[in-house]
Amino acid sequence: MNLIKTNTEHIPIIIDLTKKIWPVAYGEILSKAQLDYMIDKFYDETALSQLMQKGHVFYLAQDDKDKYVGFLSYEINSEPNKTKIHKIYVLPETQGTGLGRQFFEFVKEKAIENNQYIIFLNVNKYNNAIHFYNKLGFSKVKDEIIDIGNGYVMDDYVMEVNIMQ
């Protein structure tokens, strides 16, 4: 897989991938109304552009046929000496190919280059991705409920892994 650093010109690709990935990733966890609300709120051109301006670094994954198959975003020093993975999504048909691990290893390299000690992320408490993160060495450090408006919350675990061991 080829990883391509994005800019605002790539935002339509990220939005398109989100609309293909989220219904599968969250379809059994969230109502369609909440799913639509979250995509509209967090994955429109303005929201993604603002995240890029705030220091969220985005990468797209492209397969050997030049098809975009996933995306990643992370933030160095989201907390002191901690890198946060904000988004790590791959198309359903790409799961199990090693792309998720490639994304993680890529962020780990960037974090180490920037003298970070911890990588952390939020994951929905009912998302099967928890098992993937456990395999990568992440462990749950706390529960977090985040009010996202419109009567909806994100009911997450915060997971982290120490990368300086």
Side-chain angles (χ1 to χ4, degrees):
M1 296 287 173
N2 188 25
L3 300 186
I4 300 160
K5 188 172 183 179
T6 66
N7 57 45
T8 53
E9 293 173 17
H10 295 100
I11 287 176
I13 299 165
I14 295 168
I15 293 169
D16 181 59
L17 285 167
T18 300
K19 289 178 179 179
K20 292 175 181 170
I21 296 168
W22 271 50
V24 176
Y26 297 109
E28 295 180 10
I29 301 169
L30 305 175
S31 69
K32 181 170 181 346
Q34 182 171 351
L35 202 62
D36 291 343
Y37 172 79
M38 291 178 72
I39 291 171
D40 290 345
K41 181 177 176 82
F42 300 122
Y43 287 91
D44 72 357
E45 297 233 3
T46 302
L48 290 169
S49 180
Q50 288 172 346
L51 291 175
M52 289 177 182
Q53 291 169 6
K54 284 176 37 179
H56 293 214
V57 181
F58 282 77
Y59 277 82
L60 285 163
Q62 197 174 43
D63 68 12
D64 56 2
K65 298 177 181 111
D66 294 335
K67 178 183 174 192
Y68 293 105
V69 295
F71 67 96
L72 158 78
S73 86
Y74 66 92
E75 180 183 11
I76 301 291
N77 280 320
S78 176
E79 294 180 10
N81 300 102
K82 290 185 174 186
T83 293
K84 182 168 187 176
I85 295 176
H86 287 284
K87 304 174 189 320
I88 186 167
Y89 292 107
V90 300
L91 288 172
E93 61 269 24
T94 307
Q95 290 181 354
T97 64
L99 177 56
R101 179 174 289 277
Q102 182 182 352
F103 274 153
F104 169 71
E105 293 297 333
F106 180 79
V107 172
K108 184 177 174 182
E109 283 177 33
K110 296 297 184 184
I112 290 169
E113 286 172 13
N114 286 278
N115 302 310
Q116 306 285 282
Y117 299 104
I118 302 284
I119 296 174
F120 72 106
L121 52 81
N122 283 54
V123 60
N124 183 288
K125 290 178 183 174
Y126 305 101
N127 192 319
N128 287 331
I130 291 169
H131 305 295
F132 168 70
Y133 296 127
N134 283 329
K135 281 197 262 181
L136 293 175
F138 282 84
S139 57
K140 181 179 92 164
V141 294
K142 68 178 177 178
D143 294 19
E144 190 169 61
I145 297 176
I146 303 163
D147 184 343
I148 57 171
N150 214 35
Y152 299 120
V153 298
M154 292 191 313
D155 191 8
D156 291 352
Y157 292 131
V158 177
M159 300 182 77
E160 65 179 37
V161 61
N162 185 329
I163 56 172
M164 296 308 248
Q165 296 175 336

